[in-house]
DNA sequence: AATTGCGCATA
DNA sequence: GTATGCGCAATTG
């Protein structure tokens, strides 16, 4: 297969548009003021394809009229965009010139779209034994895919994916690539100006295709539809057929495929270089010369390499065995040019895998089971409950497994006493200090069992946490892990209890056999995953991080979540009423100014009123979905000119406050405890931070006076208690100072200086006492910006400084703190060499895009390389503090409880008699959680509510 | 009834 | 410029 001739047909406009918009936020402007984004984007793609694939035959296809001097843009592109951007119009002649100089054939046919030209050529080439790759991101082309015709599709973030027949069938849920035409005809495609059937989107189109097979099939059988949908389809039959026609790529364009005309030949290097120089493409010249130099000097080697690449793509099975092996955690995956391997190897399921899953009857059988259980050294268990809220969920059963493929299930009675009786029999197991308990998301099981007064003791192994450390960027739910690492698809909970929402059953109502299968399978799989992950953890410091941080923290978080926090609902209700009056007053004056009533909260309606009706701006900005942009930034800019804008901003602020916090929080009070129990997610933030949800207590307002009031609603449990908040002061800056060993900054911290004032004093060269508010504020912005990877552009947006002043400030900043800059570039270098960066405790973050050829993507990865160790180290440190504080609170039998964590802050419900001791304990543990060359400083405050405690 | 995009709250 | 979660409107089910 690999010695077949390969033809690459490039869809020029699609790639030009793509290239242009890739740079839209940061357009390439050369010294002559030309916007060269589109040329740059297109050439990068083209060279990338040539470098990767070394095609022997290649052509670039344009819509009608592709010569250098007279180019028209096909209507379809105009239709749904305001106007072809200037930057694209001007790019076309340049691109044609470059292609000519590169001796790459340009294909155009008057009156035909590039799609049609490519389609016709691909089919003709196929007859002559060629394998064709259509280089385009446009999914319409999927209809042309055959055994010898592939889509070669650039993917976001660099790299390509190849779509052959299996990928297309899977992607569009069809049985023949030709049905893609019907699919697009039904669904419509805004970017290609295909109207589609009204009311039909992706889901409905797939449903119809599965049911009727084609547009014609649908239209002939509308009697099988009902309601509104029936009316709509029947009324729009013609539109449907037209849409299908529009979506069809024509295969009868009068062009010939003469292989010779498509052969790659040597480019006119001096000419191309000259054009690039004129356009001021320095890096592209390098790229270009390298690309072609290799091809000329070692053709043999390259050809081999190229055919290998193709081979793996065309025979996905080999990817499976050679590439990311199913049992290796990180195959050195060719993240680009990857082919989906679904469908190729049949997934294992409970149906085709031998297993021994058994339920255990009450009485003597259970006694024998427990006896056996107590002899094990490591057991995986999984609780099944009536719901997802551990505070209200009842145990339905518990599954156990300690041998792969084998396990037991203990059903629990609905009757409270009987359930408690059974759990008591299991108490020795759960409270055993020696038997290791394995589970997936043990925090949940621990919380459930805590409600039965069972404390899970002894060593723990949580597969979800293990995988979080092994690959924090992935998702960690069991189904994904089973499919990724065991090639096994577990019984889905939905097949047992139905889709969530309407009439979802409880686990209680599932037959015992099904319960057993489902539950034991989970335990079995978790055990298998544990065996895999156990070995992977051994690498690096990950094991320590697992044993000493994440696992102990799991118990701490379970305790905090069970504890909850007291909420003053009355206070929130009165706040809500105050907001109501203010909001309706604003509403009135906005309607008055607008001359009509509308939904101010709807960005669409608001945009129409502001820009269509009131015409406040000449050329309003639009969002990518075609609406007028009404974001904070844009409105703030207009606020000074129109009174209504400020009112809208105020309205937005207040309604946001009311709906998100003031009205939402009381609904989150758990009725059984009368308290708010957030859920800390230990495995979602790629940097190692926690996240909080249901409700999110990590984003309670503080910046504005009005918003801050919400914090008054968080109160101690009763009058014997007081809230205490402990904040790390500038922990991220201290970390970057320590890690970079930047003495100037370190000594500022050591001397207890105000770091932002200190920075201002140094970069503005004034005595620290004479630093102005503005100087300090700007210095503060840079200090924070450094942590996120500043650009002059970003800085000038956030300050009153111009772009050049910002650049100057950043330069001076780096001169003041030279080692900071060195540290930052070392992080990037480390990431380039190793593919990851790490925190002080060795928590890794993998940055696959660090070597991306796409500057935007690569830039983001580079900022991550700097930010992740900082943010992550701070997360590590507060986690240590939490574990140590929790231990001490327990050891001393304090009544004081730790309630909340907000990234650099801990909140406690302090029993008043313990206050002095707790203040001391918390401060000490937090400040000494981890030894850095910079002292850590913790500020502590107490109060009758969370606002006062700040 | 579920999904998507926007806008916005925190560190 | 980093890291999150959530409410609303709009869209499609």
């Amino acid at each position: 297969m690999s010695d077949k001739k390969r033809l690459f047909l490039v869809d020029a406009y699609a790639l030009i548009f793509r290239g242009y918009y890739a740079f839209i936020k940061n357009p390439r402007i050369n010294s002559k003021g030309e916007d060269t984004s589109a040329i740059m984007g297109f050439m990068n793609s083209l060279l990338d394809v040539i470098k990767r694939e070394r095609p022997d035959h290649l052509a670039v296809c344009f819509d009608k009229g592709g010569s250098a001097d007279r180019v028209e843009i096909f209507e379809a592109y105009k239709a749904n965009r305001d106007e072809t951007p200037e930057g694209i119009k001007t790019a076309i002649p340049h691109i044609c010139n470059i292609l000519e100089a590169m001796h790459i054939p340009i294909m155009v046919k008057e009156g035909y779209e590039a799609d049609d030209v490519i389609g016709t050529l691909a089919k003709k080439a196929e007859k002559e034994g060629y394998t064709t790759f259509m280089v385009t991101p446009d999914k319409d082309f999927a209809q042309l895919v055959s055994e010898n015709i592939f889509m070669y599709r650039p993917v976001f973030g660099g790299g390509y994916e190849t779509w052959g027949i299996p990928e297309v069938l899977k992607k569009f849920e069809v049985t023949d690539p030709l049905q893609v035409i019907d699919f697009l005809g039904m669904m419509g495609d805004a970017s290609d100006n295909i109207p589609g059937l009204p009311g039909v989107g992706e889901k409905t189109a797939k449903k119809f295709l599965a049911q009727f097979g084609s547009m014609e099939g649908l239209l002939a059988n509308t009697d099988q539809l009902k309601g509104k949908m029936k009316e709509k389809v029947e009324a729009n039959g013609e539109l449907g057929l037209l849409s299908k026609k529009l979506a069809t790529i024509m295969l009868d364009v009068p062009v010939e495929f003469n292989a010779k005309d498509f052969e790659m030949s040597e480019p006119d290097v001096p000419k191309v270089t000259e054009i690039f120089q004129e356009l001021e493409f320095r890096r592209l010249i390098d790229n270009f010369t390298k690309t072609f130099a290799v091809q000329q000097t070692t053709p043999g080697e390259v050809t081999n390499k190229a055919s290998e690449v193709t081979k793996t793509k065309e025979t996905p099975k080999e990817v499976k065995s050679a590439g990311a092996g199913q049992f290796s955690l990180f195959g050195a995956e060719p993240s680009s040019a990857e082919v989906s391997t679904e469908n190729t190897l049949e997934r294992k399921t409970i149906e085709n895998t031998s297993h021994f899953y058994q339920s255990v009857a009450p009485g003597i059988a259970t006694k024998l089971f427990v006896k056996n259980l107590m002899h094990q050294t490591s057991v995986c268990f999984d609780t099944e409950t009536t719901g997802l809220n551990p505070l209200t969920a009842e145990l339905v059963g518990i599954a156990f497994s300690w041998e792969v493929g084998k396990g037991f299930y203990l059903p629990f009675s609905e009757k409270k006493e009987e359930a408690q009786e059974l759990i008591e029999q299991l108490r020795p197991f759960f409270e055993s200090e020696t038997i290791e308990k394995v589970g997936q998301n043990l925090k949940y099981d621990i919380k459930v069992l805590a409600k039965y007064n069972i404390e899970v003791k002894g060593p723990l192994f949580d597969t979800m946490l293990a995988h979080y450390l092994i690959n924090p960027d992935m998702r960690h739910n069991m189904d994904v892990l089973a499919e990724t690492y065991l090639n096994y698809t577990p019984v889905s909970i939905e097949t047992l209890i139905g889709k969530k929402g309407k009439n979802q059953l409880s686990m209680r109502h599932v037959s015992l056999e099904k319960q057993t299968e489902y539950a034991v399978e989970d335990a079995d799989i978790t055990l298998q995953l544990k065996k895999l992950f156990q070995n992977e953890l051994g690498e690096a410091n990950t094991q320590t991080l697992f044993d000493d941080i994440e696992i102990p923290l799991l118990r701490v978080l379970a305790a905090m979540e069970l504890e909850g926090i007291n909420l003053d609902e009355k206070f929130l209700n009165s706040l809500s009423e105050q907001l109501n009056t203010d909001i309706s007053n604003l509403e009135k004056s906005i309607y008055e100014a607008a001359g009509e009533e509308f939904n101010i909260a709807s960005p669409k309606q608001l945009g129409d009123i502001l820009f269509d009706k009131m015409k406040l701006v000449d050329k309003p900005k639009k969002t990518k979905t075609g609406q007028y942009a009404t974001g904070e930034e844009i409105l703030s800019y207009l606020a000074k000119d129109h009174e209504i804008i400020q009112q809208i901003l105020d309205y937005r602020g207040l309604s946001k406050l009311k709906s998100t916090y003031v009205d939402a929080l009381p609904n989150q009070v758990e009725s059984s405890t009368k308290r708010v129990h957030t859920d800390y997610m230990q495995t979602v933030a790629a940097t190692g931070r926690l996240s909080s949800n249901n409700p999110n207590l990590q984003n309670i307002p503080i910046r504005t006076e009005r918003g801050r009031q919400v914090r008054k609603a968080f109160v101690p449990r009763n009058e014997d208690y007081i809230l205490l908040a402990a904040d790390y002061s500038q922990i991220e800056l201290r970390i970057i100072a320590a890690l970079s060993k930047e003495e100037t900054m370190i000594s500022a911290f050591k001397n207890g200086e105000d770091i932002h004032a200190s920075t201002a004093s140094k970069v503005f060269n004034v005595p620290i006492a004479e630093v102005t508010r503005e100087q300090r504020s700007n210095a503060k912005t840079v200090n924070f910006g450094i942590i996120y990877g500043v650009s002059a552009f970003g800085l000038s947006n956030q300050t009153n400084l111009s772009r050049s002043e910002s650049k100057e400030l950043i330069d001076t900043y780096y001169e003041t703190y030279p080692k900071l800059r060195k540290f930052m570039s070392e992080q990037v270098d480390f990431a380039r060499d190793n593919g990851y960066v790490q925190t002080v405790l060795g928590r890794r973050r993998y940055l696959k895009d660090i070597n991306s050829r796409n500057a935007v993507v690569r830039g983001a990865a580079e900022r991550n390389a700097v930010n992740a160790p900082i943010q992550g180290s701070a997360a590590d440190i507060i986690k240590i503090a939490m574990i140590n504080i929790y231990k001490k609170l327990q050891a001393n039998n304090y009544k004081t409880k730790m309630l909340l964590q907000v990234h650099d802050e801990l909140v406690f419900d302090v029993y008043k008699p313990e206050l002095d001791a707790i203040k001391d304990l918390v401060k000490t543990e937090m400040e000494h959680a981890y030894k850095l060359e910079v002292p850590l400083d913790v500020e502590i405050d107490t109060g009758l509510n969370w606002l006062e405690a700040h």
Side-chain angles (χ1 to χ4, degrees), chain A residues 401-419:
Chain A
S401 172
W402 53 84
E403 212 180 304
V404 169
K406 192 171 159 184
F408 303 92
Y409 183 69
L410 267 65
F412 276 70
S413 165
E414 210 159 336
K415 293 183 193 135
K416 272 251 172 343
E417 307 85 68
E418 285 180 26

Side-chain angles (χ1 to χ4, degrees), chain A residues 349-362:
Chain A
T349 67
I350 196 165
E351 301 291 333
N352 59 23
T353 307
S354 74
H355 60 272
F356 178 80
Y357 298 163
Q358 209 172 39
S359 63
V360 182

Side-chain angles (χ1 to χ4, degrees), chain A residues 446 460 465 543-559 682 879-880 882-884 886-887 890:
Chain A
I446 285 175
L460 300 178
L465 289 179
Q543 183 77 49
T544 322
L545 208 46
F546 184 73
D547 293 335
D548 297 349
I549 306 288
E550 302 299 349
I551 288 290
L553 185 67
L554 169 174
R555 298 179 195 272
V556 178
L557 295 176
Q682 209 177 339
K879 282 178 173 178
I880 299 173
M882 291 167 74
I883 293 162
N884 292 341
Y886 180 72
K887 272 192 210 147
Q890 280 204 315

Side-chain angles (χ1 to χ4, degrees), chain A residues 476-487:
Chain A
H476 318 285
N477 58 51
M478 207 201 66
D479 292 1
V480 171
L481 297 182
E483 294 188 4
T484 312
Y485 297 106
L486 305 173
N487 191 39

